[in-house]
Amino acid sequence: MKPLIYDLDYPVLEKALLALSEPAYRARQVWQGLYQSLWSQADQFTPLSAVLRQKLGETFAFSHLTPGPILDSSDRQTRKTMFTLPDGYAIEAVLMRYGKSGAVKTRRTLCISTQAGCAMGCVFCATGQMGFKRHLTSGEIIEQILFYARQLQPMGEKVTNVVLMGMGEPFHNYEATMQAIDRLGDAQGFNFGARRFTISTVGLVPMIRRFANEHRQVNLAVSLHAVQDELRQSMLPVNKRYPVDELLSACREYVDKTNRRITFEWALINGVNDSVDQARLLGERLRGLLCHVNLIPLNPTQGYAGQGSTQERAKAFTAELARFGIPCTLRLRRGIDIQAGCGQLATGKTR
Ligand code: SF4
C-alpha cells in the first residue's frame, strides 16, 4: 500500500521528494498545497509540473478515508460522517456548529477519532461496546480534520476547535495523536495551534503524567463520571487499574506542573451518578483544584440500559456543585437524531 501523504512530517516529505530527484523547495509547495489550499488529489497541484503530479500520485495515497453518507441533525447544527478505512474498519467524526456564520463568536468544533474501536470498554459507550480494532495513524487523524476543513472552505469558514473525543482513547494512541497535533500546528501549513485541541482521556494515569511533563498547550479533559471506586469501576473498567485517588492525584500534579485548568467530564445518568449526594462528593474531591466540570446528560446507546438525567436532577446536581465554588456547565446533548454520541454510527454498521 502507498504511504498516506498526511503521515509524513515536513522533513520526511522533503527527503521523499529528494528521492524523486526533486529540489527541496518542492516540499514546501506540496506542503502548502496539502495544508493551506487543502488539495486532496495529486492532479490538483497545478503549480507543479504534470510529471511531478503524476509521480506524487504514484508514490503517495492522498486519502485513507472513504466517507459514508453525511448526516445532518434536524437543526442542521451537527453533522456526522462515517468513514471506512482501507482495511474495512469504520470510524467517525462530527462537526458541531455554534453561532451563526460570520458572527464574532462562531465556533466550528470537530470531534474526531483516534482509534477504530476502543479497548477501554466503558459500558455506556457505543465504541466501548464494539471493542478495539486498531490505532489510527497520525495521517488518518489529520485527514478527518482536513475533510471538514474542505467542507467549510466554500462558506469562508474554518475549523476553530478540535476535541479528541470520538472513537478511541487518545492516550492509548499517544504518539500518533501528538504527531498529528504537531504536524497541524506548523505555521507554514495548517497553522492550527495546540491550544485549540482538547484531549479527552478516560484516565490513563501514566499518560497524564507524561503529558504533564511535556508541557504542551493542548487542553486536557478527563472523563470522571463518578468518584466512588465501585461505581466508577462498574462504568469504566479502567478504574480497576487506575482508581479515583490515583487519578485525581495525577490530575492535581498536571495542574501544579502546567498551571493549566483541567476539565472533568461527567455524563449524567438517571438514578446512577446524578444524585445531590454524588454532587457533594464530587465537590469535596475537587475543591481548590483549577478545574471545570462539564455535565452532560448521557446519550442513550443500544447496549446500555441507562438513560440521561431528567432536567430537574441535572439542575439539582449543578446547584450542589456550585455550592463548592466548582465552575461547571450543564451542556446540551447534540445530534441525538443522527446518533452523534461516540461510536453510535460505526457500531450500527459493524454489528
Ligand atoms: S468513552 Fe471513550 S474511552 Fe470509553 S470506550 Fe468509549 S471511546 Fe473508549
Side-chain angles (χ1 to χ4, degrees):
M1 198 158 60
K2 291 187 274 191
L4 179 64
I5 197 158
Y6 314 114
D7 273 327
L8 274 54
D9 278 330
Y10 185 79
V12 181
L13 177 67
E14 214 171 36
K15 270 193 201 144
L17 284 162
L18 284 174
L20 294 176
S21 312
E22 293 292 334
Y25 70 85
R26 289 276 183 238
R28 180 64 57 207
Q29 289 177 296
V30 173
W31 193 256
Q32 287 174 346
L34 292 172
Y35 295 110
Q36 291 183 358
S37 305
L38 306 179
W39 292 329
S40 58
Q41 288 166 8
D43 58 13
Q44 288 178 299
F45 289 70
T46 44
L48 308 178
S49 69
V51 174
L52 179 52
R53 291 202 298 269
Q54 192 184 341
K55 277 199 247 176
L56 280 180
E58 285 165 3
T59 311
F60 300 109
F62 282 75
S63 177
H64 264 190
L65 307 185
T66 306
I70 293 168
L71 302 179
D72 284 310
S73 60
S74 47
D75 62 6
R76 306 196 72 75
Q77 295 307 295
T78 307
R79 169 170 283 193
K80 174 160 180 160
T81 308
M82 188 178 77
F83 302 95
T84 306
L85 296 163
D87 46 15
Y89 292 124
I91 59 161
E92 57 198 23
V94 179
L95 167 70
M96 290 161 284
R97 295 186 168 90
Y98 300 93
K100 283 190 184 146
S101 197
V104 182
K105 287 200 171 170
T106 296
R107 273 187 299 136
R108 299 291 177 254
T109 301
L110 286 186
C111 178
I112 62 164
S113 300
T114 52
Q115 297 175 318
C118 182
M120 299 299 131
C122 308
V123 294
F124 50 70
C125 165
T127 306
Q129 290 155 16
M130 72 192 269
F132 178 70
K133 306 300 180 196
R134 75 162 168 89
H135 294 303
L136 299 190
T137 69
S138 57
E140 290 165 343
I141 296 170
I142 288 173
E143 201 186 331
Q144 296 168 67
I145 299 169
L146 296 181
F147 172 84
Y148 276 112
R150 287 181 203 119
Q151 293 211 340
L152 293 170
Q153 198 178 30
M155 281 96 76
E157 294 182 359
K158 289 185 169 179
V159 177
T160 57
N161 302 82
V162 173
V163 293
L164 297 137
M165 210 180 269
M167 295 175 80
E169 160 58 59
F171 277 172
H172 185 209
N173 189 13
Y174 194 94
E175 303 294 341
T177 298
M178 296 309 162
Q179 284 164 9
I181 291 172
D182 290 345
R183 205 167 297 140
L184 287 173
D186 180 29
Q188 304 292 315
F190 198 65
N191 195 21
F192 198 86
R195 283 170 194 270
R196 297 205 264 160
F197 282 97
T198 300
I199 286 188
S200 174
T201 177
V202 76
L204 301 188
V205 166
M207 292 304 165
I208 293 175
R209 295 213 164 97
R210 175 174 173 184
F211 185 68
N213 286 331
E214 288 177 4
H215 288 273
R216 290 173 174 274
Q217 300 294 305
V218 178
N219 303 300
L220 180 63
V222 173
S223 299
L224 195 54
H225 309 313
V227 287
Q228 296 146 295
D229 276 322
E230 204 175 319
L231 176 61
R232 190 165 189 270
Q233 213 158 295
S234 71
M235 296 189 278
L236 313 178
V238 73
N239 193 79
K240 203 169 178 183
R241 200 144 167 219
Y242 306 115
V244 174
D245 278 355
E246 213 181 307
L247 172 59
L248 289 180
S249 115
C251 292
R252 283 187 185 275
E253 276 174 47
Y254 167 81
V255 172
D256 288 347
K257 275 195 181 149
T258 62
N259 212 21
R260 294 182 69 80
R261 188 179 74 163
I262 193 165
T263 298
F264 293 102
E265 307 286 345
W266 193 284
L268 287 165
I269 309 171
N270 213 34
V272 175
N273 66 347
D274 65 345
S275 69
V276 169
D277 278 354
Q278 278 154 329
R280 198 188 63 249
L281 287 175
L282 175 62
E284 284 166 357
R285 296 304 299 261
L286 299 188
R287 212 192 317 239
L289 182 64
L290 181 60
C291 69
H292 187 98
V293 177
N294 275 337
L295 301 162
I296 180 157
L298 182 79
N299 259 335
T301 57
Q302 274 178 23
Y304 180 66
Q307 296 293 316
S309 299
T310 59
Q311 229 188 12
E312 202 184 10
R313 286 179 75 87
K315 279 189 178 158
F317 191 100
T318 312
E320 181 66 13
L321 206 50
R323 280 200 328 112
F324 289 84
I326 314 277
C328 63
T329 313
L330 180 56
R331 298 204 181 271
L332 295 172
R333 288 183 290 181
R334 297 196 60 157
I336 290 182
D337 55 333
I338 55 164
Q339 297 188 301
C342 152
Q344 291 182 351
L345 190 63
T347 39
K349 189 198 170 200
T350 50
R351 267 190 187 136

